[in-house]
Amino acid sequence: MKIRKTAEDILIDVISYAVMGLFGLITLIPFLNIIAKTFSEDWAVVSGKVGILPIGFQLDSLEYVITSSRFLTSFLVSVIITVAGTALSILLICVTAYPLSKKKLWGVKGVMILYVFTMMFSGGMIPNYLLIKNLGIYNTLWSVILPGMINVFNLMIVKNYFESIPESVEESAMMDGASHTRVLFTIVLPLAVPTIATITLFTAVNYWNNYMGPMLYINEPGLKPLQLYLREIILEQSDAVLSSQSVDDQLNISSEGVRSATIIASTLPILLVYPFIQKYFIKGIMIGSVKG
Amino acid sequence: MQKRTKMWVGVLAGVLVLGALTGCGQEQSTEGSAKPELKVLMNYMKEDPNTYPVAKDLEEATGYSVKYYTLPQDKPEEKLNLIMASNEAYDIIITTNNLRVSWADYAKKGALLELDSLVDQYGTNMKKVMKPESFDLMRMDGKLYGIPVPKIKIGKSLNYTSMLVTRSDMLEKSGAKYPETLDEFTAMLRAMQTAGADGETIAPLCIKQAIELPGIVGAFGVPNPWNEVDGKLVNRAEDPRYLEYIKYMKSLYEEGLLDREFPVNKSATLTEKFSSGRAAIIPITYSEAGTISDALEKTSPGAELTFLDAVTGANGEKGIGTGESSLDRLVFIPKTAEHPEDAVKYMDAKLDEETFKLVAIGREGEHYTVENGEYFPISPKFFDERGSANNYLTGINEETYPQYWQTRVRKDQAVYDAYAYMSLDDERLEDAVANPALDAPVFDSDKYVKIVNQMANDYFIKVIAGEEDLESSYDEFLENWRQEGGAAISQDLNNWYQNKAK
């Protein structure tokens, strides 16, 4: 049965689309500006004449960025961190959430309280730093992957979903002789795929964007991830940094065209991937609210 | 469903292998090491210092293999504090002179190695190419706690590096005379109001938050942040002559001659307005001359950069201030270093004549050419392979480096012209006023310097923009400024200054 739209409905629709569309376009403009600066010729960028369309056309800046070894290394490092971190994180969260979802298991409540405690209180920067150092992972990629690998928020979401799976399903599998591991991997996980997929997404994006950890714990230039590299390139022009450099150092600052090209080169991969995974994000946001 | 388990196990295995690979990246076995591998922490460098060509050349020349680590670009002092507090075993730490207060702090707390004996024993080259006065800059209580990397001095004092610049076409259009006195400068500003692109009215003078204009502030007798008055050093904030300067700037603002947006302008904004004809005069350092010239060529062909020399003020005063420190970078060795003797030997080897030339400018015919005793870079190889070489320096040959260094400024003819105008031209050198607080030692009160400077700058910007009234609020400001550390700094500095004069 189709609900007929009244004229009022249509009017509201039109206005909503128009207003949202306008907002969307406004937020798009700075991005178009950066794209324009990437392809414009240097003199135009410096004189501030570049608007939304590029002036002149050159691929030099982009080429310079993409072939620069530091960009490629940082990119690779970011990919390694994201893939390894996400895989490990999901695996450990699943394996942790499963026993925690068994309400009858002794000590489950206590362990859960400990986990939640860590969500609310953190040791602070210096104790964390000392912890990382004493674990011997300082200046390695583990210092970025390990902290926060078991995100308690995600853990709770997965645990809640596991709890909602009827016991009878698991019981029947165990009656047929399945071990707990078998039950987890072959029965429970397949049922939880939407949840897991969403968690994977959130975790992956978190790892990709993380730069606080690398900034504190990684000194080796070859191990700095993309976000850190991007930040350093953009900071080169900030007045705070400029005033602390000798004029000699200032001779080496990259031009604004190169900076824009770096931004584009770093954002493009995520931009390309996002449309495909967007629907999972939208599904996932509602995941905690509806039971079963 | 065995496939799924296999898949998870496969992923897990792959991940663990990756982790092991990256984690193990740290341990490197040195083969047949008579020379151990050194760990060097340096300030931010755009490229990866481990893969930059200079690193390989250095290793071949000195025989030492080195692993480089870098500090972050902003607030490196915070990261350095963390590193020093956790006793990391770096053999050499190189920082910019900005971290001098941090260095002094570490030295006082006993975290740094005393280098007198090591330098006497292994530092033959160092002592040959750098003067004892330079070494004195790295002493605390008479003991040597680091190796200096001095700035280049050409002439009697440090050179100034920034000047006001205008566009030759706009100067012509306005019909004003090239200013030699303060009044002529003001007249020029008034004439330039109509010289904007497309005939629009503009505010010709465009600046950032740094309100002390080179060449103008000197006309009021206060070219440096600290100036001598009757044998005592007085800070600008306390100097009535500076207040006259502020009143002058305020009058410019009210007349519409000073860009109203100056408190929020950034360097990029200045360049934009200048190249598009919406500003006529901006302060620049010589390193910026290249990009601006290029932009001008395209937007206004025929327009050239015309530098504005220091103008003479009402009382016949004139001059441009110079830097506060003769040091470019600081090099020091923490007590936790594992190979301090090798570190000093390594730094000394780098100052060997051939090796130093190799690091600074590369190989003749490959990176540079020599003409009449002057060095010219071969572009682009010089800038690709030696552009960031200055980050590797742990000491310079005070005699030869000024010549080598000029190769870097030849990156762009416009940059070189600007540099030559500011730092090599005799007339300009005459205008340079030596900073009386040059190379003052680090005091406890130095921790207030940033705070009080920011406070003064904020206050005077408000005065110029008309938000604060100078007459009524100055006393309160001065009281605050003194209390927040201004008085302490002034006292320490003057104690040192009086003793120096004896």
Side-chain angles (χ1 to χ4, degrees):
Chain A
M1 199 189 100
K2 231 174 148 193
I3 302 175
R4 288 194 64 207
K5 287 197 172 175
T6 63
E8 202 182 270
D9 281 334
I10 298 181
L11 184 64
I12 293 181
D13 270 350
V14 167
I15 294 182
S16 313
Y17 275 115
V19 170
M20 294 319 239
L22 194 64
F23 275 134
L25 280 177
I26 290 179
T27 55
L28 195 59
I29 288 178
F31 196 67
L32 289 177
N33 178 254
I34 298 269
I35 295 183
K37 280 189 181 163
T38 308
F39 293 116
S40 298
E41 290 179 9
D42 225 16
W43 65 267
V45 179
V46 165
S47 340
K49 288 199 186 301
V50 179
I52 302 182
L53 295 172
I55 296 185
F57 191 82
Q58 49 90 7
L59 288 172
D60 288 340
S61 313
L62 209 51
E63 196 188 311
Y64 174 78
V65 168
I66 294 184
T67 54
S68 102
S69 67
R70 253 204 92 184
F71 176 77
L72 294 173
T73 321
S74 313
F75 199 88
L76 194 63
V77 167
S78 271
V79 168
I80 291 180
I81 291 177
T82 308
V83 168
T86 311
L88 275 175
S89 182
I90 300 302
L91 182 68
L92 286 176
I93 285 186
C94 291
V95 165
T96 316
Y98 184 62
L100 286 177
S101 68
K102 303 271 175 266
K103 293 208 188 70
K104 292 192 207 131
L105 192 60
W106 179 84
V108 157
K109 235 185 171 178
V111 173
M112 229 19 235
I113 291 180
L114 286 177
Y115 273 120
V116 171
F117 189 79
T118 67
M119 208 161 74
M120 293 189 273
F121 299 101
S122 156
M125 187 171 88
I126 307 256
N128 270 330
Y129 185 86
L130 290 175
L131 177 64
I132 300 282
K133 280 227 68 196
N134 292 331
L135 283 175
I137 56 174
Y138 182 74
N139 230 348
T140 68
L141 289 185
W142 284 112
S143 64
V144 180
I145 296 178
L146 228 39
M149 195 159 74
I150 300 190
N151 185 322
V152 179
F153 192 71
N154 293 344
L155 178 67
M156 280 173 38
I157 293 181
V158 176
K159 179 186 85 101
N160 282 339
Y161 194 82
F162 284 177
E163 279 172 3
S164 71
I165 295 178
E167 271 188 48
S168 42
V169 176
E170 298 173 27
E171 276 175 10
S172 64
M174 299 196 67
M175 275 202 295
D176 286 339
S179 66
H180 273 297
T181 323
R182 193 92 188 272
V183 169
L184 172 62
F185 283 110
T186 59
I187 301 205
V188 178
L189 276 188
L191 282 177
V193 163
T195 320
I196 306 283
T198 317
I199 304 292
T200 311
L201 233 51
F202 287 145
T203 315
V205 171
N206 254 349
Y207 271 120
W208 181 264
N209 287 337
N210 182 23
Y211 80 89
M212 216 39 215
M215 191 165 79
L216 284 174
Y217 305 129
I218 297 189
N219 289 339
E220 194 178 320
L223 284 182
K224 293 192 181 181
L226 190 61
Q227 305 301 335
L228 207 52
Y229 174 66
L230 192 57
R231 184 165 177 271
E232 287 179 350
I233 292 280
I234 295 184
L235 270 181
E236 274 179 11
Q237 252 285 352
S238 85
D239 280 341
V241 170
L242 274 181
S243 59
S244 65
Q245 283 179 326
S246 64
V247 190
D248 195 14
D249 291 324
Q250 287 175 17
L251 284 171
N252 281 337
I253 295 181
S254 11
S255 66
E256 188 152 348
V258 169
R259 255 176 294 126
S260 307
T262 315
I263 296 178
I264 296 298
S266 316
T267 332
L268 215 54
I270 286 279
L271 268 185
L272 292 176
V273 170
Y274 199 72
F276 297 104
I277 58 180
Q278 192 186 22
K279 58 175 179 183
Y280 290 113
F281 256 124
I282 296 177
K283 257 201 234 162
I285 287 180
M286 300 302 288
I287 216 89
S289 58
V290 180
K291 266 228 121 158
Chain B
M1 290 301 177
Q2 290 283 48
K3 260 199 233 162
R4 271 199 203 265
T5 325
K6 271 198 189 148
M7 187 194 76
W8 282 111
V9 171
V11 168
L12 180 60
V15 157
L16 285 176
V17 167
L18 278 174
L21 280 177
T22 51
C24 285
Q26 290 313 299
E27 331 244 347
Q28 284 189 349
S29 52
T30 47
E31 18 174 276
S33 31
K35 299 196 169 164
E37 185 185 74
L38 299 174
K39 286 167 67 167
V40 174
L41 178 67
M42 45 159 59
N43 45 272
Y44 170 76
M45 193 172 121
K46 202 165 70 170
E47 300 89 354
D48 181 351
N50 289 300
T51 56
Y52 200 65
V54 174
K56 200 178 91 181
D57 284 332
L58 263 182
E59 187 173 336
E60 279 174 16
T62 62
Y64 281 99
S65 83
V66 179
K67 196 97 203 282
Y68 297 96
Y69 301 84
T70 53
L71 287 169
Q73 208 174 15
D74 64 330
K75 308 235 177 88
E77 59 270 8
E78 285 182 9
K79 185 80 189 274
L80 190 58
N81 278 339
L82 272 177
I83 290 177
M84 293 297 285
S86 52
N87 293 328
E88 295 250 356
Y90 290 106
D91 293 303
I92 301 175
I93 300 183
I94 312 174
T95 69
T96 56
N97 193 35
N98 277 305
L99 273 64
R100 193 165 164 76
V101 178
S102 302
W103 164 78
D105 202 34
Y106 303 144
K108 272 191 217 136
K109 296 198 171 129
L112 302 182
L113 213 56
E114 248 185 73
L115 298 178
D116 283 295
S117 48
L118 285 174
V119 169
D120 281 333
Q121 222 180 343
Y122 303 114
T124 24
N125 282 332
M126 278 188 216
K127 290 194 284 189
K128 203 167 63 165
V129 300
M130 291 200 285
K131 309 196 191 98
E133 294 87 59
S134 306
F135 277 98
D136 282 340
L137 294 172
M138 297 297 284
R139 285 187 192 279
M140 290 211 71
D141 300 325
K143 303 195 193 116
L144 187 68
Y145 282 108
I147 311 286
V149 184
K151 281 190 193 156
I152 300 174
K153 244 185 222 184
I154 299 183
K156 62 172 165 49
S157 72
L158 286 179
N159 323 106
Y160 48 85
T161 50
S162 71
M163 285 178 82
L164 287 179
V165 72
T166 184
R167 288 169 49 159
S168 60
D169 60 335
M170 288 176 96
L171 184 57
E172 258 181 65
K173 197 164 158 191
S174 72
K177 171 175 177 282
Y178 183 83
E180 279 171 30
T181 67
L182 191 60
D183 293 327
E184 286 172 10
F185 179 73
T186 321
M188 179 184 75
L189 286 179
R190 293 200 178 111
M192 279 182 146
Q193 271 184 304
T194 47
D198 311 321
E200 53 176 81
T201 315
I202 57 168
L205 182 59
C206 188
I207 64 177
K208 297 188 288 186
Q209 298 88 10
I211 53 181
E212 303 88 9
L213 300 179
I216 309 298
V217 72
F220 289 83
V222 282
N224 286 304
W226 294 88
N227 297 286
E228 189 184 323
V229 180
D230 300 326
K232 280 190 72 186
L233 289 185
V234 179
N235 187 288
R236 277 174 177 150
E238 296 184 288
D239 201 323
R241 299 176 291 181
Y242 188 63
L243 297 185
E244 293 301 311
Y245 170 74
I246 297 292
K247 287 185 196 155
Y248 173 70
M249 292 294 279
K250 186 176 155 119
S251 71
L252 292 184
Y253 183 87
E254 282 167 356
E255 244 189 271
L257 299 172
L258 177 60
D259 184 17
R260 295 197 103 83
E261 293 175 359
F262 83 87
V264 295
N265 278 340
K266 297 195 167 42
S267 305
T269 332
L270 259 54
T271 331
E272 272 175 39
K273 288 189 173 162
F274 190 73
S275 5
S276 55
R278 286 176 290 141
I281 303 172
I282 58 173
I284 63 165
T285 59
Y286 59 75
S287 58
E288 296 173 280
T291 20
I292 298 183
S293 274
D294 288 340
L296 268 188
E297 255 179 56
K298 295 277 172 49
T299 57
S300 329
E304 282 181 9
L305 292 179
T306 306
F307 286 98
L308 297 176
D309 292 334
V311 296
T312 316
N315 299 327
E317 312 234 3
K318 176 169 130 159
I320 298 188
T322 55
E324 273 184 6
S325 171
S326 301
L327 287 178
D328 182 42
R329 284 180 157 77
L330 314 171
V331 181
F332 48 94
I333 303 182
K335 276 216 171 109
T336 48
E338 283 173 15
H339 313 283
E341 292 101 23
D342 286 292
V344 179
K345 282 190 205 160
Y346 170 67
M347 292 196 277
D348 198 62
K350 272 160 63 174
L351 286 172
D352 163 74
E353 225 181 292
E354 290 297 317
T355 318
F356 182 68
K357 202 174 195 179
L358 181 64
V359 172
I361 50 179
R363 284 173 273 272
E364 186 170 350
E366 199 184 319
H367 298 108
Y368 67 90
T369 55
V370 190
E371 273 169 54
N372 298 332
E374 292 192 355
Y375 298 88
F376 291 85
I378 297 180
S379 196
K381 192 142 191 208
F382 179 81
F383 298 103
D384 285 341
E385 299 195 357
R386 289 292 183 277
S388 299
N390 58 322
N391 289 294
Y392 290 86
L393 297 177
T394 51
I396 63 168
N397 185 322
E398 292 193 19
E399 229 185 276
T400 59
Y401 193 52
Q403 279 310 313
Y404 296 166
W405 180 83
Q406 286 187 37
T407 334
R408 300 166 58 79
V409 208
R410 292 203 158 94
K411 183 172 188 173
D412 199 299
Q413 190 58 36
V415 174
Y416 184 74
D417 287 338
Y419 168 73
Y421 187 84
M422 283 189 210
S423 308
L424 299 179
D425 189 306
D426 282 332
E427 272 186 49
R428 244 53 61 202
L429 288 175
E430 264 184 46
D431 285 341
V433 178
N435 192 324
L438 179 67
D439 292 331
V442 180
F443 305 113
D444 278 337
S445 52
D446 274 352
K447 58 178 182 269
Y448 303 123
V449 167
K450 270 203 183 128
I451 303 173
V452 295
N453 283 346
Q454 186 66 41
M455 209 177 127
N457 202 311
D458 287 340
Y459 173 72
F460 288 120
I461 287 182
K462 286 199 190 130
V463 171
I464 294 177
E467 282 211 16
E468 291 257 13
D469 180 46
L470 189 59
E471 312 297 327
S472 53
S473 59
Y474 179 67
D475 291 323
E476 194 189 321
F477 156 74
L478 194 58
E479 196 44 51
N480 273 337
W481 184 88
R482 287 193 172 132
Q483 268 193 8
E484 291 285 327
I489 303 173
S490 179
Q491 195 180 32
D492 284 338
L493 204 57
N494 273 302
N495 279 340
W496 164 78
Y497 192 65
Q498 310 296 344
N499 289 326
K500 194 172 88 126
K502 286 190 188 129

